[in-house]
Amino acid sequence: MGNLVWIDVAIIVSYALLGIAALGAVMAGVRSLVAKPQGAKRALIGLVGIAAVIGIAFALSTDTGVSQALLERTETAAWVVRPVGAGLISFYILFGCAFLSLIGTEIWRPFKK
C-alpha cells in the first residue's frame, strides 16, 4: 500500500511541474509579444492556421466507425470517438504539410541560387 502513495505523490508532482512549465511557456510568449508587437501578426496567422486544421479535422471525423460492442468492451464513452478521430486527422494533415514543405524546399533550393 505504501508504494501506491508514492506513485500518487509522483503523479501530482509531475502534473504540478507540467503546469508550471506550461505557464512559463505562455508567459514567455506574452513577454515576447509585449517586446515585439509586430510579431503578433505572425503568431495570429499561425493560430488561425492551426484552428483551421482542427476545424477541418472535426468536419471530416465521424463517430460511426466504432461499434457499440467495442466501446462497451473497452469501457470507452461514445463521445470520445469523434475528438480522437479529429486528432488523428489533424495529425495526418500537419504531417502531410510538413512532409510536402520539406520536399518543396529541397526541390526549389537549386533554383534559388
Side-chain angles (χ1 to χ4, degrees):
M1 190 68 152
N3 288 338
L4 293 178
V5 172
W6 284 110
I7 291 172
D8 290 342
V9 170
I11 289 174
I12 291 170
V13 169
S14 297
Y15 284 149
L17 291 174
L18 180 66
I20 291 169
L23 183 65
V26 169
M27 295 306 292
V30 168
R31 192 181 85 191
S32 174
L33 286 177
V34 169
K36 289 184 175 180
Q38 66 271 19
K41 181 180 176 184
R42 285 197 286 181
L44 186 61
I45 290 171
L47 288 174
V48 168
I50 292 291
V53 167
I54 291 172
I56 290 168
F58 261 101
L60 292 176
S61 69
T62 63
D63 55 358
T64 59
V66 179
S67 69
Q68 190 65 28
L70 179 62
L71 290 175
E72 290 173 4
R73 191 171 60 229
T74 58
E75 298 179 2
T76 304
W79 65 269
V80 174
V81 175
R82 189 164 187 191
V84 168
L88 288 170
I89 291 171
S90 64
F91 173 77
Y92 299 149
I93 291 171
L94 292 173
F95 181 78
C97 289
F99 183 75
L100 290 176
S101 68
L102 237 164
I103 298 298
T105 300
E106 292 300 319
I107 289 173
W108 290 108
R109 185 176 299 184
F111 298 116
K112 287 190 174 184
K113 290 183 179 180

